Amino acid sequence: MSRLNWHQAVLQNMIDAVIAVDRDQRIMLLNPAAERLLGHALQQILGQNFFETFTFATAESRAEIQNSLEMVLVTGEHAVIASQAPLTTKAGSPLQISGNISPIYEHPGRIMGALLVLYDPAAEMEQNLCSEDLLGFIEHAPIAVALFDNSMRYLAASRRWIDDYKLDCESLLGRSHYKVFPETPNHWRIAHQQGLSGATLRDEELFLRHDGSVKWDRWILMPWYESQNTIGGIIVLTEDITDRKHLEQENQDLLEQLVAAQKIESLGRLAGGIAHDFNNMLNVIQGHVGLALLDIDADHPIHQHLTEIRDAAERSTELTQQLLSFSSREEAEPRFIELNQSIEGMLRILKRLIAEEIDFVWEPETAGCIVKMDSSQIDQILANLCVNASDAISGIGTITLKTENRKFDHEFCKAHPEYLPGHFVMLSVSDTGPGIDPATQARIFEPFFTTKPQGKGTGLGLSTVAGIVKQNQGFVRVENQPGSGSTFQIFLPCRRDGKPIPHLEHATRAPVGTNEMILLIDDEPMLAKISREILLSLGYRVIIATSPRDAIQMMLDFKGTVDLLITDVVMPEMNGQELYHALQKLQPNLNVLYMSGYTLHIMAEQGITSEENSFLKKPFSRNELAVKVRQVLQQN
């Protein structure tokens, strides 16, 4: 019910006669009690002068009330009609009235009229609390309301109050509230006493229903007065706001999800920027290692170290590519892989991720374990699960990495709904740590949930694992024995009909150039320098620039023909494609090879499509650069 409706309801149900007049003493409002008392209907006397409408038995009584009314309109002070002024009703019956006059303010400092509250003292019935009007109003009130005397006995209660609190209306009136509710909390007893002392209280509170459910109530408690200075009891109003509270909780949950999504989006942008810059540094490492391997015999002791550096850099390239895909939401590039071979290629890195005092056991499936997914996703799963397993072990322990082919039929899945039917490859990581308590296990896959100390974990590891597995139509199970460790089981669909792409060995001989001139632009000076050295080692002539502006100036200054432009795509001033079009105006037959550490999703925004043959992804090896340069030069 709106505030206006409440005001109307209160006015309509007041026992005392209420008359509102304006500053010219014209009648502007009558309530039903005034119409019954004086015998006039509002529509008959609206706008008429108060003292011309009602007849007073004596001139003295008329003058007394008129003087009081004028004083209220001028000064704003309240006035009391102390004597029982004789008034004649419309029907001609004599009436002795008492009451008071109060100012009505349009806004602070401006009086717009006065309110006369009149009553017939002879007609009062025990403070009128048992009048049919008041009882009717309370009984049919749209909210839960109860009226109590100063001993907290029920005088009246609305139907809503009786229904909400499951009470018997027949035996309620006259009973003490504390006998009706013998377990009334102490804070409510204190609130009742505060109300009986004149305080008005309001709050929101959680209540337990009889059926065991809970509800939220908003309540107001205030005193009612028998006379101007005597409190007769209290009135309590309650409203069920459970639905509103549930809505507020849903909104709070949505807000938290939005904040989490914004965190993930921000993390994605950060990861994308870091991965792009790291790719450039990896490219420098790979370039220098590739050149060093050319000068070292295969049987030299340093050759093996350089090979390890090269392989680790290539593995890191795959991981940074996954970060870039995460930041741009680009689809993964699944292919058939032999899981055991992929894991064995990662074992050296995994052993370095765990503590030295922890034994690492690898138990591969003897039969083939072929899955179809992005190989870098396997690396992510392994790294996250092994790091978590290592963190779970305090001191000496064992981590066991295992693969196994499994098949689940429909009957098994009916009895075990957490499984899916079909052929699967199970990848499991077990540890000998303390295990996971049930409360933690229920939340371990939630984004940003972590049990690690602040600064030691992001809470994204297991949620990333779960997301990758789901993306590849698999599922995850956790077997946990508190005190004896836990096992994470990753089930991925087995692709027995697929043929894994064999691992490509590094070519011993790269295609070389025939003294062609190359203009190379990269805004990372270290990468520009090592790329130049690689191209020189392949038999090309090279000039380099670190900005589009420098590249255009070099083209203007160069007197010969440039056979190939190799340019980064994302650069300040202009992107690679814009630079190529600008240089084409100087040399129309110029060939171009684009290179970038960003994903093809970002390249598409720059106008470079995945079908482009003239695109080289960073970081690249010496052989990859050699092959791509020859392809671009020979196609024209």
Side-chain angles (χ1 to χ4, degrees):
M1 178 179 285
S2 69
R3 180 175 295 180
L4 180 60
N5 289 340
W6 268 102
H7 292 169
Q8 292 174 341
V10 170
L11 184 65
Q12 294 295 314
N13 288 275
M14 285 186 66
I15 299 172
D16 293 335
V18 177
I19 305 172
V21 299
D22 64 9
R23 292 184 61 87
D24 295 325
Q25 303 177 5
R26 292 175 300 190
I27 298 171
M28 306 306 295
L29 182 144
L30 288 180
N31 73 339
E35 292 180 336
R36 291 192 296 271
L37 181 67
L38 303 175
H40 292 272
L42 174 62
Q43 60 269 25
Q44 296 171 347
I45 60 174
L46 183 64
Q48 296 182 16
N49 185 277
F50 177 84
F51 294 100
E52 294 176 358
T53 302
F54 300 110
T55 304
F56 291 84
T58 65
E60 291 80 5
S61 61
R62 173 191 172 100
E64 178 189 349
I65 296 179
Q66 190 166 12
N67 290 336
S68 298
L69 177 57
E70 290 174 350
M71 187 63 66
V72 169
L73 291 172
V74 172
T75 66
E77 296 290 335
H78 294 258
V80 176
I81 305 174
S83 60
Q84 298 181 6
L87 183 68
T88 303
T89 67
K90 183 179 180 181
S93 303
L95 187 66
Q96 301 290 326
I97 62 168
S98 296
N100 56 74
I101 307 173
S102 304
I104 302 174
Y105 287 91
E106 183 177 6
H107 55 74
R110 178 173 175 77
I111 298 172
M112 61 182 292
L115 194 69
L116 293 91
V117 180
L118 309 176
Y119 57 92
D120 180 4
E124 290 184 348
M125 296 175 57
E126 297 181 8
Q127 309 304 326
N128 295 318
L129 286 176
C130 296
S131 71
E132 294 182 1
D133 288 338
L134 179 59
L135 293 175
F137 169 69
I138 293 178
E139 181 178 358
H140 299 292
I143 61 173
V145 54
L147 193 68
F148 301 92
D149 65 12
N150 52 23
S151 297
M152 287 304 296
R153 292 188 297 258
Y154 278 91
L155 298 176
S158 68
R159 173 57 58 184
R160 183 70 176 270
W161 178 285
I162 292 170
D163 292 342
D164 281 359
Y165 297 103
K166 305 294 188 295
L167 302 176
D168 182 3
C169 61
E170 300 297 331
S171 60
L172 185 64
L173 300 185
R175 294 183 63 194
S176 168
H177 179 69
Y178 303 128
K179 290 186 178 180
V180 176
F181 293 100
E183 298 180 358
T184 300
N186 188 58
H187 73 277
W188 265 101
R189 293 176 182 265
I190 294 174
H192 296 155
Q193 293 305 312
Q194 290 175 326
L196 291 171
S197 299
T200 297
L201 309 173
R202 50 174 54 83
D203 202 353
E204 294 178 357
E205 193 167 345
L206 192 65
F207 286 87
L208 181 66
R209 291 189 174 105
H210 285 74
D211 60 3
S213 62
V214 295
K215 72 166 184 170
W216 279 95
D217 271 357
R218 178 173 59 192
W219 56 266
I220 301 174
L221 181 153
M222 65 186 72
W224 61 266
Y225 289 82
E226 286 182 327
S227 63
Q228 186 174 0
N229 297 313
T230 305
I231 295 176
I234 61 172
I235 184 168
V236 180
L237 303 91
T238 66
E239 180 185 6
D240 190 336
I241 57 171
T242 305
D243 291 341
R244 193 199 77 186
K245 283 290 187 180
H246 288 166
L247 183 59
E248 288 177 355
Q249 184 60 50
E250 290 175 3
N251 290 340
Q252 181 64 30
D253 293 342
L254 289 174
L255 179 60
E256 291 175 358
Q257 293 174 18
L258 175 61
V259 171
Q262 290 173 336
K263 285 183 180 179
I264 292 175
E265 184 178 355
S266 298
L267 181 64
R269 289 196 297 269
L270 176 63
I274 292 174
H276 174 262
D277 293 341
F278 191 56
N279 268 344
N280 282 338
M281 295 301 100
L282 285 174
N283 215 147
V284 174
I285 294 170
Q286 286 182 310
H288 282 289
V289 169
L291 291 176
L293 285 171
L294 293 177
D295 298 329
I296 297 292
D297 293 334
D299 57 353
H300 194 286
I302 295 179
H303 189 279
Q304 180 61 32
H305 292 300
L306 292 173
T307 302
E308 290 281 350
I309 294 172
R310 181 194 64 195
D311 293 345
E314 291 178 353
R315 281 285 182 179
S316 300
T317 298
E318 294 176 355
L319 292 175
T320 54
Q321 175 59 33
Q322 190 65 27
L323 280 176
L324 285 168
S325 297
F326 170 65
S327 67
S328 63
R329 292 168 174 79
E330 186 175 79
E331 292 292 331
E333 298 180 5
R335 60 186 179 90
F336 290 109
I337 57 176
E338 214 298 321
L339 187 59
N340 289 339
Q341 291 180 4
S342 182
I343 293 174
E344 286 168 0
M346 185 73 174
L347 288 178
R348 292 193 303 273
I349 296 176
L350 292 177
K351 290 178 181 178
R352 294 189 181 102
L353 292 176
I354 66 176
E356 293 182 358
E357 64 270 24
I358 297 175
D359 290 332
F360 189 86
V361 179
W362 164 228
E363 299 179 357
E365 166 71 66
T366 55
C369 296
I370 299 175
V371 296
K372 186 178 182 181
M373 62 188 300
D374 192 311
S375 60
S376 63
Q377 292 181 328
I378 293 292
D379 293 350
Q380 269 199 301
I381 291 174
L382 291 170
N384 281 316
L385 293 184
C386 289
V387 168
N388 278 359
S390 177
D391 291 343
I393 299 172
S394 178
I396 298 174
T398 302
I399 294 175
T400 302
L401 178 60
K402 182 178 180 180
T403 56
E404 184 180 347
N405 286 319
R406 301 286 296 273
K407 178 183 178 181
F408 308 113
D409 57 24
H410 288 279
E411 292 299 322
F412 178 85
C413 293
K414 285 182 180 178
H416 303 83
E418 67 273 20
Y419 288 83
L420 296 175
H423 292 272
F424 292 88
V425 175
M426 182 191 74
L427 165 63
S428 67
V429 177
S430 303
D431 65 70
T432 56
I436 309 171
D437 63 82
T440 300
Q441 185 170 341
R443 300 187 60 193
I444 53 176
F445 294 110
E446 293 180 11
F448 302 107
F449 174 76
T450 179
T451 58
K452 297 178 182 179
Q454 187 173 2
K456 297 295 185 180
T458 62
L460 286 171
L462 289 179
S463 63
T464 299
V465 169
I468 291 173
V469 174
K470 184 177 180 181
Q471 180 184 1
N472 289 279
Q473 291 79 51
F475 61 96
V476 183
R477 288 194 71 255
V478 181
E479 292 187 351
N480 179 52
Q481 294 292 333
S484 302
S486 58
T487 300
F488 284 81
Q489 297 176 331
I490 308 298
F491 292 89
L492 299 168
C494 181
R495 310 292 183 137
R496 295 186 173 184
D497 55 340
K499 294 183 179 180
I501 298 175
H503 176 70
L504 296 178
E505 297 295 333
H506 292 275
T508 56
R509 292 182 60 84
V512 295
T514 55
N515 209 37
E516 291 95 339
M517 175 57 72
I518 296 176
L519 173 58
L520 186 144
I521 300 94
D522 197 303
D523 58 353
E524 174 53 57
M526 292 178 64
L527 186 53
K529 181 179 178 181
I530 188 59
S531 298
R532 177 180 180 273
E533 292 184 26
I534 293 173
L535 291 169
L536 289 173
S537 74
L538 292 169
Y540 298 99
R541 291 176 296 149
V542 186
I543 53 177
I544 63 173
T546 56
S547 72
R549 187 185 304 274
D550 291 343
I552 294 173
Q553 187 62 49
M554 285 182 177
M555 183 69 91
L556 289 170
D557 295 341
F558 187 67
K559 303 304 181 182
T561 300
V562 174
D563 298 291
L564 176 64
L565 169 69
I566 301 178
T567 178
D568 199 1
V569 177
V570 181
M571 296 182 294
E573 301 174 5
M574 64 178 69
N575 65 33
Q577 191 175 60
E578 292 169 340
L579 174 62
Y580 172 56
H581 291 157
L583 295 178
Q584 263 190 321
K585 296 176 181 179
L586 302 176
Q587 186 177 313
N589 296 325
L590 181 64
N591 295 309
V592 64
L593 172 60
Y594 297 110
M595 58 182 181
S596 180
Y598 287 108
T599 61
L600 291 175
H601 173 80
I602 301 298
M603 292 302 95
E605 296 178 358
Q606 302 291 326
I608 311 297
T609 65
S610 59
E611 290 78 18
E612 295 260 6
N613 291 323
S614 54
F615 178 75
L616 179 61
K617 187 165 186 59
K618 295 179 183 179
F620 48 79
S621 66
R622 178 177 181 271
N623 288 349
E624 288 171 334
L625 177 59
V627 170
K628 185 63 70 171
V629 168
R630 291 317 306 168
Q631 285 179 349
V632 175
L633 288 172
Q634 290 174 2
Q635 72 184 0
N636 296 316

